[in-house]
Amino acid sequence: MDFQKVQLPPLNVNNMKNKIKELRVKLNITQEELAKLASVRRETIVFLEQGKYNPSLLLAYQVAKALKSNINDLFNLKY
Amino acid sequence: MKLKNYHHLQNAISLAAIIGLEYFISVSSFLWALTILLVAVVVLFIARKSVTEVVFDERDNNLRGQSFLMAAYTFAFLVVVTIIMLLLGPVSKEEYQIISVTLIVSLVIIFGVQRLYYIYYQKFAHLEKKGIYIALGIIMILIILVGMLRFFSGEDDWICQNGQWVKHGFPESSAPTTECK
């Protein structure tokens, strides 16, 4: 397999995009309900949706599971 | 109990406990001070247990870490400013020494403890035999504490015995010039 070394830009939370709000609206659940499902506080969901908080891998999986999705569909790193 | 109400209760009890503690310590009623502290802890514990929502999640823990660090840096800055102000202000040398040493020691304790926890989480928390390292750490802290107590206890001093100044330990200063009665 041909592997090309590519230097990625430095880590920046602003490059992290997600579809949490989109999926939550699709499933017709409130931020409060999603917070309860994912065992976090509502503020955390607000910050996640706004892309202002970089969640741990554990929390990302938890939110993805609560939204009946997977981490790859939910989060995306865009430069 | 709702989380919002719990936070209001937490603030109110903390404030009341601080005022109560300060008052009772200032009038040397240590038993009352201890009672207030215990009551506050028990009430807060029961209140927290009754909260049905998530009290803290990982974002809160991150914020707590950042907040603590900022509080510690602010405290360090205030200590430096206070020491400089006292140096310029009308306080006696003894008062200046007591206040400065207390502030600096508290600063060293805050940053020292923070550093210890940082080292623990960085190097030992994930190890299987972390118990051994924790025990060693506690022994080291105890040795340092005993050393500090010995250093600050004033054991190395001149004692008045039978009308004469007798050396006790290794005092830094020479024998007092005042009369020994």
Side-chain angles (χ1 to χ4, degrees), chain B residues 113-164:
Chain B
V113 172
Q114 190 261 340
R115 184 77 193 146
L116 280 176
Y117 273 116
Y118 181 78
I119 292 169
Y120 170 72
Y121 284 120
Q122 196 189 37
K123 295 189 173 170
F124 303 110
H126 61 280
L127 298 177
E128 269 183 37
K129 290 180 180 173
K130 61 184 173 190
I132 297 166
Y133 295 104
I134 293 170
L136 280 173
I138 290 169
I139 291 167
M140 262 177 67
I141 290 166
L142 284 177
I143 290 169
I144 292 167
L145 278 178
V146 169
M148 276 174 75
L149 279 176
R150 174 81 179 80
F151 184 74
F152 289 112
S153 63
E155 272 202 24
D156 298 322
D157 211 347
W158 292 89
I159 297 170
C160 181
Q161 269 181 358
N162 304 325
Q164 275 191 326

Side-chain angles (χ1 to χ4, degrees), chain B:
Chain B
M1 184 188 274
K2 283 263 168 203
L3 188 61
K4 214 172 187 178
N5 296 338
Y6 168 69
H7 282 148
H8 290 322
L9 186 72
Q10 195 182 29
N11 292 338
I13 287 180
S14 304
L15 190 69
I18 287 168
I19 293 168
L21 275 174
E22 236 177 72
Y23 172 73
F24 285 116
I25 288 172
S26 68
V27 294
S28 300
S29 299
F30 300 114
L31 199 65
W32 274 111
L34 191 70
T35 311
I36 281 184
L37 196 68
L38 285 174
V39 169
V41 169
V42 170
V43 171
L44 282 175
F45 182 76
I46 293 168
R48 186 175 170 150
K49 284 276 165 199
S50 69
V51 177
T52 47
E53 296 159 74
V54 177
V55 181
F56 282 110
D57 60 20
E58 65 166 49
R59 185 174 152 267
D60 293 304
N61 282 328
N62 290 345
L63 292 178
R64 278 208 292 191
Q66 283 173 25
S67 312
F68 171 75
L69 216 59
M70 287 314 292
Y73 288 146
T74 311
F75 181 63
F77 174 74
L78 288 175
V79 164
V80 173
V81 170
T82 310
I83 288 173
I84 293 169
M85 297 270 277
L86 285 174
L87 194 64
L88 303 170
V91 285
S92 68
K93 197 183 166 192
E94 288 78 25
E95 282 173 333
Y96 178 73
Q97 266 184 345
I98 293 167
I99 298 169
S100 305
V101 168
T102 309
L103 287 173
I104 291 168
V105 167
S106 52
L107 201 61
V108 169
I109 289 172
I110 286 173
F111 279 100
V113 172
Q114 190 261 340
R115 184 77 193 146
L116 280 176
Y117 273 116
Y118 181 78
I119 292 169
Y120 170 72
Y121 284 120
Q122 196 189 37
K123 295 189 173 170
F124 303 110
H126 61 280
L127 298 177
E128 269 183 37
K129 290 180 180 173
K130 61 184 173 190
I132 297 166
Y133 295 104
I134 293 170
L136 280 173
I138 290 169
I139 291 167
M140 262 177 67
I141 290 166
L142 284 177
I143 290 169
I144 292 167
L145 278 178
V146 169
M148 276 174 75
L149 279 176
R150 174 81 179 80
F151 184 74
F152 289 112
S153 63
E155 272 202 24
D156 298 322
D157 211 347
W158 292 89
I159 297 170
C160 181
Q161 269 181 358
N162 304 325
Q164 275 191 326
W165 287 110
V166 182
K167 211 179 198 179
H168 186 255
F170 305 97
E172 283 177 10
S173 56
S174 52
T177 49
T178 51
E179 197 185 343
C180 169
K181 287 179 184 173

